[in-house]
Amino acid sequence: MDTSLRRTWAEIDLDALAHNYHQARKAIGPNVKYMGIVKADAYGHGAIQVSEELVRLGADYLAVSSLDEAQELRTHGVKVPVLILGYTPPEMTSQLIQYDITQAVSSESTAEKYSAAAVAVGGVLKIHIKVDTGMSRLGFLVRGDHFSESVESIFHTCELPGLEAEGIFTHFAVSDEDDADSEVYTREQFDVFTKTIDTLKARGKTFAIRHCANSGALARYPEMYLDMVRPGIALYGAGADVERLDLKPVMTFKTSISTVRELDEGTDISYGRTFRTPQKTRVGVLPVGYADGLMRGLSNKLKFQTPWGAAPLLGRICMDMCIVDLSQFPQMQEGNEIEIFGQKQHVNVVAEILNTIPYELLCAVSKRVPRLYMKNNEVIGRVLRILT
Ligand SMILES: *Cc1c(COP(=O)(O)O)cnc(C)c1O
């Protein structure tokens, strides 16, 4: 490994990714399609590398949040179907068609613009109808009094020239929560989704791919798999269902000790002087800060993982550096590596310290942190985003 890459890095364990994929495949069986969610650079893991691996493993479909992300996959030779979950301006319709990208459609008025643009270039745009059953974000609103009007509107959308309505989907708000109220809400969402599909079917409109199961539903509601599942966080071995699905963390975020020093008793550490050594203290300076994705809210709270046990972070996290207490670990020397989260300390645990979700911590690992791709514990590739 180049010395420049030994500062701070993220190891992406492709064997763990494969394990998590197979866990999902075991649950859904061979006949339900698997859509890998690779938006936000595959939750920080690297969209291209993760997508290539998923295609090798047998994923049927990939999903991203924007046209830029979809184009990134296509320009790197990813050939499986790709769905854009978010909004794409209708002016970009010809590019969607050119790159053979499937677009989520949330309203008839936007669909009319896609349709006109597709007809103008003599192409066909593949779409999936997005139905809002309770997330209240995007989609045809089918709850309560909106039902009949929206079903009518979906029907018309599917009839538009230049569009091919391949799929229909909805998204759950609380499928990953275990309380009874969340289960009731998820079942209500599912019921109105199936009622929408059934009503359209009675009018002669059917869809090849009906889907709604995110990671939470993959783990809890097999009856909701329909034609395809859409796990994101479970694929990366994090979130509420690590134990339920027996998942392995894919990313391990690591750094190394740049300098070791002995500080006197009563020494103030870092900005704001929020930590004062109670005695003589052996510390290490770590070349990782909030600009790498080590969130500043972890100041004075996180424990780093050394091979011999947990070592507390002292004082505030700076942009590029922070300080670790090595008093308990005289073996730890300059150059030794230290884990921030991953195999020894799960990202879920660190997310809890911040009262946030692991998604946020994974996505926060920044573009100046090299990703090392691992198989059989060997580095098989590396990517540094600021050099690409
Ligand atoms: C992000 C996303 C997913 C994946 O969600 P997880 O909780 O990570 O499994 C699935 N479907 C849609 C529409 C999404 O936006």
Side-chain angles (χ1 to χ4, degrees):
M1 199 185 314
D2 296 337
T3 46
S4 68
L5 295 182
R6 280 215 61 101
R7 184 183 165 269
T8 291
W9 66 98
E11 293 175 5
I12 309 298
D13 182 354
L14 296 174
D15 296 321
L17 188 84
H19 170 85
N20 298 339
Y21 172 84
H22 290 307
Q23 291 301 96
R25 188 48 90 185
K26 235 179 3 193
I28 66 177
N31 298 324
V32 173
K33 290 180 194 296
Y34 183 103
M35 171 183 269
I37 305 290
V38 295
K39 65 193 180 199
D41 203 23
Y43 293 37
H45 294 69
I48 295 152
Q49 292 72 23
V50 167
S51 296
E52 285 173 350
E53 196 60 26
L54 283 176
V55 171
R56 263 194 290 278
L57 290 165
D60 305 280
Y61 228 114
L62 299 171
V64 294
S65 68
S66 68
L67 179 59
D68 294 337
E69 291 183 341
Q71 270 176 335
E72 184 190 17
L73 298 183
R74 285 291 184 254
T75 55
H76 286 83
V78 175
K79 294 201 170 64
V80 295
V82 173
L83 172 66
I84 296 178
L85 299 164
Y87 175 78
T88 302
E91 302 91 273
M92 310 305 271
T93 303
S94 63
Q95 295 197 42
L96 290 169
I97 294 171
Q98 180 196 335
Y99 285 102
D100 191 19
I101 305 291
T102 311
Q103 175 60 47
V105 167
S106 290
S107 77
E108 190 178 348
S109 58
T110 312
E112 282 166 353
K113 293 178 192 149
Y114 289 138
S115 166
V119 169
V121 297
V124 174
L125 175 65
K126 242 190 274 164
I127 62 167
H128 284 205
I129 300 289
K130 175 77 185 279
V131 182
D132 184 348
T133 57
M135 184 71 179
S136 311
R137 201 170 59 173
L138 286 177
F140 291 85
L141 203 54
V142 292
R143 282 179 84 90
D145 294 343
H146 299 279
F147 184 80
S148 301
E149 189 194 327
S150 286
V151 167
E152 190 66 24
S153 187
I154 293 170
F155 185 80
H156 287 299
T157 297
C158 296
E159 299 283 288
L160 288 168
L163 302 184
E164 180 198 334
E166 175 193 56
I168 187 165
F169 72 111
T170 194
H171 194 41
F172 293 130
V174 286
S175 64
D176 59 344
E177 292 182 30
D178 287 316
D179 59 288
D181 194 44
S182 295
E183 181 175 341
V184 168
Y185 195 80
T186 303
R187 292 196 185 283
E188 270 174 25
Q189 283 198 266
F190 185 68
D191 287 347
V192 68
F193 182 52
T194 48
K195 188 174 139 202
T196 303
I197 292 169
D198 291 346
T199 309
L200 286 161
K201 189 174 176 187
R203 296 189 54 178
K205 181 65 227 158
T206 57
F207 298 88
I209 312 180
R210 304 156 301 156
H211 51 110
C212 58
N214 54 0
S215 297
L218 171 70
R220 287 174 186 71
Y221 304 105
E223 66 275 29
M224 301 183 192
Y225 294 167
L226 301 178
D227 303 306
M228 182 163 77
V229 297
R230 303 193 307 266
I233 200 73
L235 173 61
Y236 305 106
D241 299 305
V242 168
E243 267 132 53
R244 203 180 301 238
L245 293 170
D246 184 22
L247 305 173
K248 296 182 178 166
V250 176
M251 182 192 291
T252 299
F253 190 19
K254 291 183 172 177
T255 188
S256 57
I257 300 169
S258 64
T259 313
V260 175
R261 314 201 303 155
E262 297 274 353
L263 299 180
D264 292 335
E265 179 187 332
T267 304
D268 293 337
I269 290 182
S270 191
Y271 288 121
R273 304 170 62 196
T274 59
F275 185 88
R276 178 170 296 170
T277 55
Q279 70 242 333
K280 207 163 166 354
T281 305
R282 183 170 184 266
V283 303
V285 181
L286 302 179
V288 59
Y290 57 79
D292 298 288
L294 182 63
M295 300 223 177
R296 191 169 169 279
L298 293 166
S299 297
N300 284 308
K301 291 185 181 151
L302 181 70
K303 288 187 167 56
F304 293 99
Q305 303 298 313
T306 78
W308 293 281
L313 189 161
L314 304 179
R316 287 212 181 128
I317 293 168
C318 307
M319 186 182 290
D320 311 310
M321 281 177 251
C322 60
I323 313 280
V324 61
D325 183 355
L326 296 176
S327 303
Q328 304 303 311
F329 308 107
Q331 321 89 318
M332 291 299 286
Q333 301 294 336
E334 283 178 18
N336 286 169
E337 68 180 54
I338 282 193
E339 181 186 305
I340 301 163
F341 62 69
Q343 283 173 351
K344 292 196 175 79
Q345 167 166 258
H346 202 280
V347 64
N348 286 353
V349 173
V350 179
E352 231 165 85
I353 299 173
L354 283 168
N355 201 10
T356 187
I357 50 176
Y359 303 68
E360 191 182 9
L361 297 192
L362 294 170
C363 291
V365 174
S366 78
K367 66 181 189 293
R368 79 175 186 190
V369 175
R371 270 64 167 177
L372 305 193
Y373 293 90
M374 318 286 291
K375 267 190 184 171
N376 296 316
N377 289 317
E378 278 181 31
V379 179
I380 60 153
R382 65 182 161 216
V383 174
L384 178 53
R385 280 286 205 170
I386 53 174
L387 297 182
T388 60

